[in-house]
Amino acid sequence: MAKITLKEIAKRLHLSPSTISKALNDSYEISEETKKKVKQFAQQHNYQPNPLAKYLKLGKTNNIGVLLPNIQSPFSAQLLQYLHQSAIANSYNIIFMQSMDHEKDEERALMTLTNQGVDGILIAPVHETSNLELISKIHQENCPVVLFDRIHYNLDTHKVGIDNIKSTYLATEELIKVNRKNIIALCGKDIGITHHRLEGYRKALEDYNIPMNDANIIYIDYSKTLNKIDEDLTKSISRCWRSGCTPNAIIGTTETLTTRLLGVLASLKIQVPEDIAVIGYSNIEFANSLNPALSTIYQPTEEMASTALQLLLDLINSKKDRSQIDFQTILLETSIQLRKSTALT
Amino acid sequence: MAKITLKEIAKRLHLSPSTISKALNDSYEISEETKKKVKQFAQQHNYQPNPLAKYLKLGKTNNIGVLLPNIQSPFSAQLLQYLHQSAIANSYNIIFMQSMDHEKDEERALMTLTNQGVDGILIAPVHETSNLELISKIHQENCPVVLFDRIHYNLDTHKVGIDNIKSTYLATEELIKVNRKNIIALCGKDIGITHHRLEGYRKALEDYNIPMNDANIIYIDYSKTLNKIDEDLTKSISRCWRSGCTPNAIIGTTETLTTRLLGVLASLKIQVPEDIAVIGYSNIEFANSLNPALSTIYQPTEEMASTALQLLLDLINSKKDRSQIDFQTILLETSIQLRKSTALT
DNA sequence: TTGTAAGCGTTATCAT
DNA sequence: ATGATAACGCTTACAA
């Protein structure tokens, strides 16, 4: 680690440690002359303050923990990228953790973060009640917690996400408008958001007087390997196809399922959009490179990241007792980007 | 932060702080009886040691810094995912930074990491000499640095990457074997790896007695937005097409260029693989969902991550002077995954 | 087996 | 404007 300490500088300059500290921190109490001398000496000897000592004294680390399900989805990667940029802009660093959509990993990650000492935590929980007790305890006793992305969670704190019901409704409506009414909903099993996205789907069908068919809802186990997910998708799709219900559209409620679906359909020689239209949640940057260019429900990740981070910083810097604060839930607008996969002429 | 301190426990149990510390750390000096009592009390009062104090005392943070160019490429995301898993398995946490392929950001990130106090740094530098002085200084004076992915860099330390010359050679060879000999090389401008990957391409052409045509090397400025990259790609490709040189294959030397290329070709109505075959570097998990399924040069990210991390931990835990160590450069094997984009029947 | 005391490198308080 | 001193919460010789 760094070699010369503040004490050492004090000795060498025949000044006291406190004077050095103040000089380096530009205190008004110190004369310009002394400041100049001290700073120059520090620079020459490549002084780097020991952050740990500072943090111990100040009681904060300037680190915030970010706990995401899995960085390997473009959506999560975008979130992390923007969170990082916002954090840096505010002189905070990000300690990154992923839960891999497993409650046990999530618990471990949370323990690590608190034992490690972070000033606050941003989390997209595995599901609607995962580690609720632990997270509540951390929020009360350790450091503030802000929820993002997966915000349907019974914790009294700031939450930033999207209106899942509404955006799924709108996407479903797009399909209906191009006269595709036999719509499959592709869902992640045991995922918090599934419930709400399905509700939007149901509501749209109802409003357009389209009968619900439970066989049209496909659940895929999400915590498996990608290969297994492909297999399950293939099975479900071909079963559906053979059963004679002849769906003509699919709405994918998660990014992974939506993007993998395209590969599965290609290998089954099912044509998109001719045989079946596809729209789905995804923030993938190369939607145009997919087969075919994918119509997506796009989430405003940059805004989600900066808003969530700002709210967390507010909590970190707030003097108020955490029970005195009135917490907000912010729902951001999504946008629907139509491309070839729903282009029905 | 946590409420009860070790001192406090000592007071309440009428023992000394050192006894408590030893008891909690299972020291052989402490009687079982006392240990039991102390631990039980600690548990009941939800004692959490202050990590900062501990780290100050011990002089290490158990954090390592990871500095990647940009998390929004599937390859980087994979690396980070596996780095995280390896780190957790070794009780280390990851502080994540990205350089966005800008030297200035890289410098800032490095400064932050050292000021922040990390036990070691893993970095994929922006280019072959970016921040060389700073990184050398950090490696010598602050904490060990290990290079990965982009390892052609004049720093004496462990390096983990792939053999870019060889793997590009093999990919080019695949194209030649299916009789596509007028091959465009698509390169990132001012990117460290470009040089070596091009060398592999050149060597393959030479070995198969195919004349090199400089017009077949396309450079795209990498530090731009994706839209701009698409534009530039479109221009370059259509110019090439019009000029009558009629290429029949493209090799993409970076993931971003390769994947975006597919979108551009689709919009130009150029058929892959009929009109032109495509192969390129990419670790994208849904290569099968691309238009068409993309033949890729796949890098062993999991191995790269765990190897790099292990080497870094070795350096962190090594008692030796850093100049006494003989550093290794490890080149991992890539694999070529052929899919439809090079399937010429 | 347990306790005492020093110290890690800062910053903050209060004198001078 | 500068300095002395205490403190942050823990670990670790060394003493008892």
Side-chain angles (χ1 to χ4, degrees), chain A residues 4-274:
Chain A
I4 195 168
T5 72
L6 183 145
K7 269 185 187 168
E8 193 57 30
I9 299 183
K11 239 178 237 167
R12 305 264 222 104
L13 290 184
H14 304 292
L15 289 168
S16 79
S18 53
T19 305
I20 308 295
S21 173
K22 287 172 189 167
L24 291 173
N25 288 309
D26 253 332
S27 163
Y28 66 96
E29 302 176 86
I30 303 296
S31 72
E32 281 309 317
E33 195 188 4
T34 312
K35 276 188 194 173
K36 194 153 283 174
K37 199 170 63 181
V38 170
K39 285 183 180 174
Q40 192 181 341
F41 187 92
Q43 184 118 45
Q44 275 170 4
H45 291 74
N46 188 30
Y47 168 70
Q48 296 181 261
N50 181 322
L52 272 24
K54 194 167 159 183
Y55 296 154
L56 171 59
K57 182 67 189 170
L58 267 42
K60 65 184 308 241
T61 60
N62 268 52
N63 288 332
I64 65 169
V66 169
L67 182 41
L68 287 165
N70 182 343
I71 191 59
Q72 282 221 45
S73 87
F75 174 66
S76 294
Q78 272 189 17
L79 266 180
L80 182 58
Q81 152 153 345
Y82 291 125
L83 283 172
H84 175 246
Q85 287 175 355
S86 295
I88 291 297
N90 289 280
S91 305
Y92 276 80
N93 299 311
I94 283 183
I95 298 195
F96 163 70
M97 295 274 158
Q98 48 188 349
S99 65
M100 305 307 287
D101 269 315
H102 286 295
E103 202 164 342
K104 265 283 165 232
D105 290 342
E106 185 175 72
E107 182 186 346
R108 247 207 321 252
L110 287 165
M111 303 289 279
T112 308
L113 285 177
T114 53
N115 288 335
Q116 152 69 28
V118 288
D119 296 344
I121 294 179
L122 286 171
I123 179 174
V126 170
H127 62 72
E128 300 183 359
T129 56
S130 63
N131 290 301
L132 176 54
E133 265 182 58
L134 177 57
I135 296 180
S136 298
K137 211 188 83 187
I138 290 174
H139 185 57
Q140 279 162 33
E141 299 178 7
N142 293 68
C143 61
V145 176
V146 165
L147 297 175
F148 68 109
D149 183 28
R150 301 180 177 182
I151 58 176
H152 194 75
Y153 194 91
N154 188 24
L155 180 74
D156 198 23
T157 186
H158 292 314
K159 303 172 188 181
V160 185
I162 60 163
D163 186 338
N164 284 301
I165 299 178
K166 180 179 166 194
S167 53
T168 316
Y169 182 100
L170 292 175
T172 309
E173 202 175 26
E174 287 294 338
L175 295 171
I176 297 172
K177 278 183 187 164
V178 289
N179 210 32
R180 294 285 170 113
K181 296 183 177 167
N182 194 358
I183 305 168
I184 289 181
L186 196 56
C187 305
K189 213 175 122 194
D190 300 328
I191 297 292
I193 44 170
T194 290
H195 184 66
H196 294 85
R197 296 194 175 166
L198 260 186
E199 198 174 324
Y201 161 82
R202 283 209 177 90
K203 220 166 138 194
L205 294 188
E206 201 178 306
D207 284 359
Y208 283 86
N209 294 312
I210 300 170
M212 258 296 294
N213 178 356
D214 278 343
N216 273 359
I217 300 179
I218 297 181
Y219 290 95
I220 303 286
D221 188 342
Y222 215 67
S223 57
K224 306 283 179 161
T225 64
L226 293 174
N227 279 339
K228 186 70 172 60
I229 289 179
D230 282 355
E231 254 180 52
D232 290 351
L233 268 174
T234 307
K235 267 187 222 159
S236 299
I237 297 291
S238 38
R239 183 187 318 128
C240 195
W241 212 254
R242 278 196 318 266
S243 76
C245 72
T246 54
N248 50 24
I250 299 186
I251 181 164
T253 64
T254 85
E255 175 162 62
T256 302
L257 291 177
T258 309
T259 42
R260 297 210 77 81
L261 172 69
L262 293 182
V264 166
L265 291 176
S267 76
L268 289 174
K269 312 270 184 216
I270 298 176
Q271 302 270 335
V272 181
E274 294 80 0

Side-chain angles (χ1 to χ4, degrees), chain B residues 29-46:
Chain B
E29 302 176 84
I30 304 296
S31 72
E32 281 308 318
E33 195 187 4
T34 313
K35 277 188 192 171
K36 194 152 287 174
K37 199 169 63 182
V38 170
K39 286 182 179 174
Q40 192 181 339
F41 187 92
Q43 184 117 46
Q44 277 171 2
H45 291 74
N46 187 31

Side-chain angles (χ1 to χ4, degrees), chain A residues 327-344:
Chain A
F327 292 110
Q328 320 173 38
T329 293
I330 296 181
L331 297 183
L332 303 171
E333 290 291 317
T334 56
S335 59
I336 292 187
Q337 307 179 327
L338 296 179
R339 298 194 183 82
K340 192 177 169 192
S341 71
T342 52
L344 305 167

